[in-house]
Amino acid sequence: MAEGANSMWGGRFAGGVDAIMEAINASIGFDCRLFAQDIAGSRAHAAMLARQGIITEEDARAIDEGLTRVQGEIEAGEFPFRAALEDIHMNIEARLREMIGEPAGRLHTARSRNDQVAVDFRLWVREQCDAAIDGLTRLIRAFLAQAEAGADWAMPGFTHLQSAQPVTWGHHMLAYVEMLARDRGRFHDARRRMNECPLGAAALAGTSFPIDRDFTAQALGFDRPTANSLDSVSDRDFALEFLAAASICAMHLSRFAEELVIWSSAQFRFVQLSDAFTTGSSIMPQKKNPDAAELLRAKLGRIMGANVALLVVMKGLALTYSKDMQEDKEQVFDAADNLMLGLAAMEGMVRDMAPQRQALATAAGAGFATATDLADWLVRALGLPFREAHHITGTLVRMAEEAGCDLPDLTLAQMQSVHAGITDDVLGVLGVENSLRSRKSYGGTAPERVREQIARWKEVLA
């Protein structure tokens, strides 16, 4: 065989591998991350082969011991990765053969790189789901701690980034608890669906050897083996589902990152971010920039890009395996790295941020935030249709705006000039605190409802 040819499959090819072809074909530069999963899959496969009498127990022991030595070399940074061997599977098998000789050649009996990479990648993505669930749980606890500390603190609620109605700080924090909990549920669902073992599907059609796929599935922690060999090696929907869940989670993280950028500005001063997650300016000594939140906003976009990229890779592939699918991993690796970084950074920012209670309270009453409370009172107390109450309230808002005051500052006579039926009872609903206490509907912002939800989430997380 010509120098440079891959001896693992070179019998079919007389010429060597061109340098350009080697560069485009090799994946060892990134799929080396799958070494632990590849070795775990090989151990389970070798044990099954021996159990079924397909290889000897002696060969299985030699393979298992050799794989332990290989893993030790990789973990110690002493493994000789070679691009000529293309991928992590061939690199490990070649090194195993150097260590134990002939038994290594029997390891690949009744399997293909197609089902091998499918099980490796599925194991890796499954671990990332577990890591995301753990990271989300920690972040949810951080938001819950903020909610409990400010369960009854007034702040403005916004629509269109305009002051809308007063809400509590605890209620705002709990909104993210709900979002992140759904994200956690999506990773749980994705993990459950992907927890089927493709090992034993071989290249695409299964194998004539009397293998036991239930044994290998159980050994690797899967619920069951996959039911169709073609599907087993040809789809990456488990990775796409992970990316979809990660993308939605990234969107939620990015939204709060944007709020932190806004809230920490001199114009808002709603929160103070710690020095750990901010930087200064090289020219403006007064600056404290929310760089961690801004970088998080940008990095999380890469997760959404990875989702689209893998969809594009997969969308035009006929069954079963095509080499295009080698491009599945880098996008997922990058997305998983950025997701875990994003979760950790956001947890740190949420735990460290100091909400400024007075600034929040001052802003809560601005912009005629209790106008809806006035309209609701007109409906309840005077029996007016809501649309008429809405019109009356709008007139009173315009009157207050022209007078340069807020709604509670209007005199009763001024209010009665718009509608004679208004009484001084209306003053009991116009304050921010009154507004907050009145929002008692389930899921509302009233402090008592917020504390109920905090208690519920503590119980869920316990």
Side-chain angles (χ1 to χ4, degrees):
M1 187 186 303
E3 185 177 350
N6 188 331
S7 61
M8 304 298 281
W9 51 261
R12 170 67 177 80
F13 297 84
V17 178
D18 184 272
I20 295 174
M21 180 58 192
E22 183 175 291
I24 199 172
N25 192 47
S27 60
I28 190 59
F30 52 86
D31 69 14
C32 56
R33 291 182 66 160
L34 298 175
F35 77 89
Q37 292 77 20
D38 194 73
I39 288 171
S42 291
R43 278 204 172 100
H45 186 66
M48 181 275 296
L49 292 176
R51 188 170 181 269
Q52 295 299 104
I54 299 170
I55 65 172
T56 66
E57 292 287 351
E58 184 181 1
D59 282 347
R61 278 193 299 273
I63 289 168
D64 190 71
E65 291 168 4
L67 288 171
T68 299
R69 290 167 58 194
V70 169
Q71 185 159 354
E73 282 189 348
I74 297 175
E75 290 173 347
E78 300 169 354
F79 187 88
F81 290 112
R82 288 172 280 181
L85 291 171
E86 297 182 22
D87 55 35
I88 188 62
H89 324 297
M90 286 185 162
N91 268 267
I92 288 175
E93 187 176 334
R95 183 64 176 143
L96 184 66
R97 187 170 59 184
E98 291 171 358
M99 288 178 171
I100 69 172
E102 186 177 290
R106 297 193 174 94
L107 174 58
H108 209 54
T109 307
R111 77 173 182 185
S112 160
R113 275 193 297 175
N114 292 357
D115 63 336
Q116 190 177 358
V117 70
V119 74
D120 291 1
F121 198 24
R122 199 173 285 233
L123 285 168
W124 191 89
V125 175
R126 189 178 71 181
E127 289 177 10
Q128 300 312 300
C129 284
D130 291 339
I133 290 165
D134 289 344
L136 279 162
T137 301
R138 291 192 296 271
L139 180 53
I140 288 169
R141 290 185 188 279
F143 272 108
L144 197 60
Q146 284 284 357
E148 189 167 25
D152 58 356
W153 296 3
M155 70 171 288
F158 296 97
T159 61
H160 310 280
L161 204 55
Q162 305 293 313
S163 184
Q165 291 178 265
V167 297
T168 52
W169 172 260
H171 196 52
H172 198 109
M173 294 298 101
L174 286 176
Y176 283 97
V177 170
E178 295 289 339
M179 295 179 211
L180 296 170
R182 290 193 297 274
D183 291 329
R184 195 173 67 155
R186 274 182 278 272
F187 284 111
H188 273 297
D189 290 344
R191 190 196 194 283
R192 175 178 54 80
R193 263 185 293 279
M194 73 178 63
N195 206 34
E196 297 182 344
C197 184
L199 191 60
L204 77 162
T207 178
S208 58
F209 289 95
I211 62 173
D212 183 349
R213 294 191 63 204
D214 288 302
F215 176 86
T216 47
Q218 184 176 2
L220 293 169
F222 290 103
D223 294 331
R224 64 191 70 83
T226 51
N228 184 285
S229 61
L230 298 172
D231 172 58
S232 301
V233 300
S234 68
D235 208 351
R236 293 294 184 266
D237 58 353
F238 64 91
L240 284 165
E241 191 165 6
F242 168 78
L243 289 176
S247 294
I248 297 171
C249 180
M251 176 268 295
H252 288 147
L253 297 180
S254 188
R255 291 184 73 178
F256 192 67
E258 171 68 3
E259 294 206 301
L260 288 179
V261 171
I262 295 171
W263 290 353
S264 62
S265 69
Q267 288 70 32
F268 275 74
R269 298 185 186 274
F270 284 2
V271 299
Q272 188 173 72
L273 299 178
S274 72
D275 292 350
F277 294 98
T278 54
T279 65
S281 166
S282 63
I283 188 173
M284 295 169 285
Q286 84 281 10
K287 294 296 291 297
K288 189 174 184 181
N289 299 322
D291 282 11
E294 292 171 351
L295 287 166
L296 198 60
R297 255 184 340 200
K299 284 182 177 295
L300 294 170
R302 289 163 62 171
I303 297 173
M304 302 173 192
N307 192 17
V308 173
L310 185 53
L311 282 167
V312 172
V313 167
M314 297 299 299
K315 72 175 182 62
L317 301 185
L319 299 185
T320 56
Y321 182 84
S322 296
K323 195 74 173 197
D324 311 52
M325 291 165 67
Q326 184 168 287
E327 293 298 307
D328 58 359
K329 296 171 199 65
E330 284 182 285
Q331 303 288 347
V332 179
F333 292 162
D334 185 73
D337 289 347
N338 279 288
L339 177 65
M340 294 313 300
L341 178 61
L343 288 170
M346 185 59 80
E347 181 194 354
M349 285 189 285
V350 171
R351 288 195 184 280
D352 284 3
M353 70 179 179
Q356 303 300 292
R357 184 175 184 178
Q358 186 55 55
L360 290 165
T362 299
F368 310 104
T370 57
T372 305
D373 297 275
L374 174 55
D376 288 347
W377 181 87
L378 292 169
V379 172
R380 286 196 310 272
L382 304 184
L384 300 179
F386 182 79
R387 286 300 165 203
E388 184 180 348
H390 185 285
H391 179 77
I392 292 168
T393 303
T395 303
L396 289 170
V397 166
R398 186 172 70 249
M399 179 183 291
E401 194 170 39
E402 290 170 351
C405 65
D406 203 353
L407 280 174
D409 301 320
L410 291 175
T411 67
L412 181 59
Q414 286 174 308
M415 292 187 184
Q416 289 175 336
S417 71
V418 177
H419 193 285
I422 297 177
T423 69
D424 57 4
D425 288 346
V426 74
L427 301 177
V429 303
L430 289 180
V432 167
E433 296 301 324
N434 291 330
S435 175
L436 292 177
R437 284 193 296 270
S438 72
R439 305 293 170 183
K440 294 180 180 179
S441 57
Y442 181 80
T445 195
E448 65 183 274
R449 290 287 177 254
V450 170
R451 291 190 176 98
E452 287 172 359
Q453 291 299 326
I454 291 169
R456 178 177 73 86
W457 275 112
K458 281 185 171 182
E459 186 176 343
V460 168
L461 293 175

